[in-house]
Amino acid sequence: MPPVFRFAPSPNGYLHLGHAYSALLNFDLARQSGGRLLLRIEDIDATRCRPEFEQAIYEDLAWLGIGWETPVRRQSEHFAAYRAAVERLAAQGLVYPSFESRAEIARLVAGKEARGAWPRDPDGAPLYPGTARSLGPEERDRLMAHGLPFAQRLDMAAACARAGRLNWREAGEGPGGETGEVAARPEAWGDVILARKETPTSYHLSVVIDDALQGVTDVVRGIDLFWSTSVHRLLQTLLGLPQPAYRHHRLVRDAAGQKLSKSTRATGLRELRAEGASPADIRRMVGLP
Ligand code: GLU
């Protein structure tokens, strides 16, 4: 079976040199290994994703000389599949609803921090500080009957106990030089959100479902997602999904050494193209042969 790679951008802005590096690396690895390259549009966030950004992704990738298989999977068309996965986890007793608003969560965290350090996840966000996990069934039903919006969270302690120790095969390198067999640390993320009322899925859940459904064998993506792999391995295990191999790559930085953002025009592919850069120039700029 040929390996299956994927490039999975979110259409919430125009692609920059960092995306070009990731896409070209996936494309090159697929070609060198006689593998396949899939493109997946990760558009679960309706408030930030726009059709013009999706269109621009196709144009920019084609201009770079990248080919991909069709049809392209668009996550917004598959909410039912993600909902079914949340239900499977819920049936294992690993999911609970939490009703706090973002503002309430911020207040709870501030309160915790006033009394000492409160743990943060690998992205630097505070862990969920609430107590919704211990709400009794009647209280839950009462809040739901009131129509209060809620998020469905993974009971991380219970999930980790169920899954046992996990690791993954890393062909790249983590932020601390981790490589080879890396021990997953999903507990570092706390009770992550699996689904929200307005978005019936989450990045972690949909990426895991789609990689499995699309038969992805090799996940090649930025090092900023390195520790997310802990949660992905946990969800794969709980849902009985196969585990791909992982390769996390360096991020392209700007002249000042900063991480690129979708709003920095200086490194946008459209801007560079308008200024006369060629696809070969882009390869050179990101350090690819
Ligand atoms: N959609 C994610 C992003 O734009 C990438 C997801 C992944 O490669 O796992 O950063």
Side-chain angles (χ1 to χ4, degrees):
M1 289 282 272
V4 181
F5 294 81
R6 82 330 188 249
F7 177 58
S10 295
N12 54 15
Y14 292 112
L15 300 186
H16 55 55
L17 285 175
H19 300 105
Y21 176 59
S22 199
L24 286 165
L25 188 59
N26 272 288
F27 177 65
D28 289 355
L29 288 167
R31 233 182 6 184
Q32 286 157 17
S33 59
R36 301 162 51 199
L37 177 63
L38 308 179
L39 172 63
R40 183 165 74 226
I41 300 295
E42 302 213 323
D43 58 349
I44 59 173
D45 185 349
T47 60
R48 297 176 63 217
C49 294
R50 300 233 164 81
E52 61 267 32
F53 293 139
E54 182 178 332
Q55 203 48 48
I57 289 172
Y58 302 134
E59 285 168 22
D60 291 348
L61 295 179
W63 174 70
L64 283 172
I66 291 175
W68 59 88
E69 292 182 15
T70 53
V72 168
R73 185 174 174 91
R74 301 170 75 237
Q75 291 189 322
S76 60
E77 292 167 358
H78 299 279
F79 285 138
Y82 310 133
R83 213 176 275 123
V86 176
E87 275 158 24
R88 281 176 60 201
L89 295 168
Q92 299 177 48
L94 300 176
V95 179
Y96 67 87
S98 70
F99 298 86
E100 299 93 346
S101 65
R102 285 174 211 256
E104 270 170 89
I105 287 189
R107 250 195 323 273
L108 286 172
V109 169
K112 301 263 187 202
E113 286 180 335
R115 278 172 270 132
W118 180 251
R120 290 182 174 248
D121 71 23
D123 282 348
L127 300 198
Y128 171 63
T131 51
R133 180 156 38 92
S134 45
L135 285 179
E138 306 85 55
E139 183 63 0
R140 265 179 207 171
D141 290 349
R142 196 182 63 78
L143 293 167
M144 286 204 191
H146 271 78
L148 230 59
F150 60 88
Q152 287 177 294
R153 292 184 181 270
L154 185 67
D155 181 340
M156 186 56 83
C160 288
R162 176 77 49 89
R165 287 159 87 91
L166 299 171
N167 47 21
W168 78 84
R169 196 154 39 81
E170 174 64 43
E173 209 171 84
E178 299 86 353
T179 191
E181 284 299 315
V182 177
R185 297 197 286 114
E187 63 285 355
W189 292 90
D191 290 356
V192 289
I193 290 179
L194 297 173
R196 291 179 196 279
K197 189 163 189 195
E198 66 281 14
T199 310
T201 186
S202 57
Y203 160 64
H204 294 308
L205 185 71
S206 33
V207 95
V208 156
I209 299 297
D210 286 357
D211 284 340
L213 268 173
Q214 296 188 286
V216 171
T217 59
D218 292 78
V219 172
V220 178
R221 62 184 174 195
I223 193 173
D224 51 338
L225 294 170
F226 185 83
W227 287 114
S228 292
T229 312
S230 292
V231 180
H232 302 173
R233 288 290 302 118
L234 177 63
L235 293 176
Q236 285 157 3
T237 305
L238 297 170
L239 293 166
L241 305 175
Q243 69 163 306
Y246 289 88
R247 176 196 291 247
H248 292 89
H249 60 69
R250 65 180 165 83
L251 301 183
V252 177
R253 307 216 164 246
D254 66 13
Q258 296 299 307
K259 191 176 153 178
L260 305 184
S261 100
K262 283 186 168 143
S263 51
T264 352
R265 302 182 67 86
T267 50
L269 294 182
R270 330 217 94 200
E271 284 78 10
L272 291 163
R273 182 159 86 228
E275 285 162 15
S278 70
D281 294 329
I282 303 293
R283 275 194 174 266
R284 198 152 10 82
M285 291 168 86
V286 300
L288 280 172

